[in-house]
Amino acid sequence: MRPPISTIRPSVLDDVCWRCTQHLQLQQHVQLHLARSSKSTTSAQIAAARSTRRFFSKASPPRASASQSFGAGYFLSNALLTRGRSTIAPSTGGGGSSSTRLPEASRNAGTTTADSAAAAAAATIISLESETTILPHRRRQAAAAKHRIATPDAADDSPTSSLPPDASSILAGVAARHPADSLRRKLSAFLSLSKPRLTVLVVLSAMVPYALYPVPAFLSSSALVDAAPSLSPLTLLFLTTGTTLCSAAANALNMLYEPDTDSKMSRTRTRPLVRKLLTTRAAVLFAVGCGVAGTAALYLGVNPTVSFLGAANIALYAGAYTPLKRISAVNTWVGAIVGGIPPLMGWAAAAGESATADGGWRELLFAVDGSSLGGWLFAGLLFAWQFPHFMPLSWGIREEYKAAGLRMLCWVNPARNARVALRYSLVFVPLCVGLCAAGVTEWSFAVTSAPVNLWLISEAVKFWRFEGHKGSARGLFWASVWHLPVVMVLALAQKKGMWGRVWRSVTGEPLQDEGAEDEEWEEEEEDES
């Protein structure tokens, strides 16, 4: 409830607004009228309320005929009025304190009937202002401030407080609402077992390097009449399908390993195995089936190297990362390696289509001419991104990790948790420059990616300084959420040679590479001889 402004010196409000001056005049008029009258308190309250309504309905600003006017209480958020608030003391009754603050004139008066009526009238004015003049956005701000005071840790430190519901939890809830033998229940539960949002992120991180692979024919096309070089859509289909199935298998095995710890955390307690929506046997069959089908699709539709990387990712995630969560904080680094493998899979898939030798793993991943460097740079980018993303996310639920017995750096060593996030956020600048130097993107990418990289670094510095407090964890988490897609889109928009080819197609100017020019020069010499 907003306090009255009659105790504020008029000189303070002279240059603030016209409504404040009118409000002072109104209260003085009401108090003078009630002091001279001898009616009862109830009649005085009614008269004051009617007077207040008539005044605010007729009032208008002096410079314009505004159709909407605000009460004087609206302007009490002005910093100039903070001193006036300190002069208002709450009135107390016999049993406790009252939420109504009375004007100074009422507190200095005696116990006469007129003074009591004036005090009640002032209280009525305050009540009317609180109910009718507080705008909706100010009520929302007050409710948010009240929530922050009630739960300071959850509101200030946890980035999960504003996250949308987890996809696995939503699907598990859908499955629980259907009969036990229904097909929709089983499909929703199996889809929940695969962690759909995480799987989508894994697939996208494999598709972007595949699209950015510098196809030699794309960069050295000799004429516009040539067919536009591109990668095989069929290979891309097998890549996305196989990667999706491998990710689903790894996630299902992860849930099979730790249903007891999942039940102890608010973020994971609604997973399908915790809620007994699926039997353990069904989950095992789902995981094994997805793993076999995924690696087979990668082997037959892409190449053996990519298939091996997909199988290795399942083994690392389910066989190394998941058990290590109970043993050591090193599990985060192992999980980051798991996140860095899908970009390498996408790069190796594209390199296999342009291979000139046997197409083995040495040529695709460790080419002598350095053409495989781009894949490792993308893998390093996804590896480094895991830390500024996961460290602030885990900070908000550090007590739950501790209670579940999972050794995460957020509670084992909070200071190091913040240092690691800052350390790896600095790596993105040289990685983006490296993609330009490797011929994956144009050099303009180093410039356009700098602002988002600096934004992530600045949020990581705050996270390091405050060790997650004062909203720094939430700031870094959301910066990481936006950072990765922005960098990927910028890289796709500035692929090496893409805009040059577009320009040549628009202007009709053919471009011949140096090899073609040398061949033509040799042919001319032979003709002359």
Side-chain angles (χ1 to χ4, degrees), residues 142-286:
K146 183 178 180 180
H147 178 68
R148 284 195 297 270
I149 294 174
T151 56
D153 292 337
D156 183 62
D157 298 337
S158 176
T160 61
S161 59
S162 56
L163 282 178
D166 181 67
S168 295
S169 302
I170 295 175
L171 289 168
V174 171
R177 290 194 294 268
H178 290 82
D181 297 331
S182 65
L183 179 61
R184 187 169 182 180
R185 176 189 178 101
K186 294 179 181 178
L187 291 178
S188 299
F190 282 129
L191 189 58
S192 174
L193 203 63
S194 66
K195 299 183 183 178
R197 287 180 182 167
L198 179 58
T199 297
V200 169
L201 177 62
V202 169
V203 173
L204 290 177
S205 65
M207 293 175 62
V208 171
Y210 181 85
L212 283 171
Y213 183 83
V215 181
F218 187 87
L219 299 177
S220 60
S221 178
S222 58
L224 289 173
V225 296
D226 296 342
S230 63
L231 297 170
S232 170
L234 185 61
T235 303
L236 179 61
L237 176 63
F238 276 100
L239 174 66
T240 55
T241 303
T243 305
T244 300
L245 292 172
C246 289
S247 177
N251 292 326
L253 291 173
N254 171 265
M255 292 190 189
L256 278 165
Y257 188 87
E258 49 184 17
D260 55 336
T261 57
D262 285 347
S263 62
K264 300 176 183 178
M265 301 182 63
S266 59
R267 190 172 61 94
T268 57
R269 64 169 57 112
T270 57
R271 286 179 173 176
L273 292 179
V274 178
R275 301 176 65 175
K276 305 297 183 183
L277 300 177
L278 289 171
T279 63
T280 303
R281 182 172 178 268
V284 170
L285 291 176
F286 174 80

Side-chain angles (χ1 to χ4, degrees), residues 31-345:
Q31 291 175 5
L32 180 61
H33 174 73
L34 294 175
R36 294 175 179 176
S37 65
S38 59
K39 294 182 180 180
S40 63
T41 302
T42 303
S43 300
Q45 292 178 1
I46 295 174
R50 290 176 178 174
S51 177
T52 303
R53 293 194 192 99
R54 286 196 302 271
F55 178 81
F56 281 107
S57 62
K58 295 179 180 179
S60 60
R63 296 185 181 180
S65 57
S67 60
Q68 180 181 5
S69 60
F70 302 113
Y74 175 82
F75 300 98
L76 284 179
S77 59
N78 195 301
L80 295 175
L81 309 181
T82 54
R83 291 181 299 176
R85 295 187 183 189
S86 61
T87 62
I88 304 172
S91 62
T92 57
S97 61
S98 173
S99 59
T100 303
R101 303 187 178 204
L102 300 179
E104 186 178 0
S106 299
R107 289 188 283 108
N108 294 335
T111 58
T112 61
T113 304
D115 292 334
S116 300
T124 305
I125 293 174
I126 298 169
S127 178
L128 286 171
E129 289 179 358
S130 300
E131 294 177 359
T132 60
T133 63
I134 298 179
L135 297 182
H137 76 280
R138 293 195 177 276
R139 288 197 291 267
R140 291 193 296 269
Q141 291 173 358
K146 183 178 180 180
H147 178 68
R148 284 195 297 270
I149 294 174
T151 56
D153 292 337
D156 183 62
D157 298 337
S158 176
T160 61
S161 59
S162 56
L163 282 178
D166 181 67
S168 295
S169 302
I170 295 175
L171 289 168
V174 171
R177 290 194 294 268
H178 290 82
D181 297 331
S182 65
L183 179 61
R184 187 169 182 180
R185 176 189 178 101
K186 294 179 181 178
L187 291 178
S188 299
F190 282 129
L191 189 58
S192 174
L193 203 63
S194 66
K195 299 183 183 178
R197 287 180 182 167
L198 179 58
T199 297
V200 169
L201 177 62
V202 169
V203 173
L204 290 177
S205 65
M207 293 175 62
V208 171
Y210 181 85
L212 283 171
Y213 183 83
V215 181
F218 187 87
L219 299 177
S220 60
S221 178
S222 58
L224 289 173
V225 296
D226 296 342
S230 63
L231 297 170
S232 170
L234 185 61
T235 303
L236 179 61
L237 176 63
F238 276 100
L239 174 66
T240 55
T241 303
T243 305
T244 300
L245 292 172
C246 289
S247 177
N251 292 326
L253 291 173
N254 171 265
M255 292 190 189
L256 278 165
Y257 188 87
E258 49 184 17
D260 55 336
T261 57
D262 285 347
S263 62
K264 300 176 183 178
M265 301 182 63
S266 59
R267 190 172 61 94
T268 57
R269 64 169 57 112
T270 57
R271 286 179 173 176
L273 292 179
V274 178
R275 301 176 65 175
K276 305 297 183 183
L277 300 177
L278 289 171
T279 63
T280 303
R281 182 172 178 268
V284 170
L285 291 176
F286 174 80
V288 173
C290 287
V292 172
T295 53
L298 294 175
Y299 185 88
L300 298 174
V302 188
N303 57 62
T305 301
V306 177
S307 178
F308 171 79
L309 290 174
N313 224 18
I314 297 175
L316 276 175
Y317 189 76
Y321 166 71
T322 304
L324 274 175
K325 290 165 71 175
R326 301 171 182 262
I327 301 172
S328 172
V330 180
N331 69 83
T332 306
W333 278 262
V334 178
I337 294 175
V338 173
I341 289 179
L344 207 57
M345 294 169 60

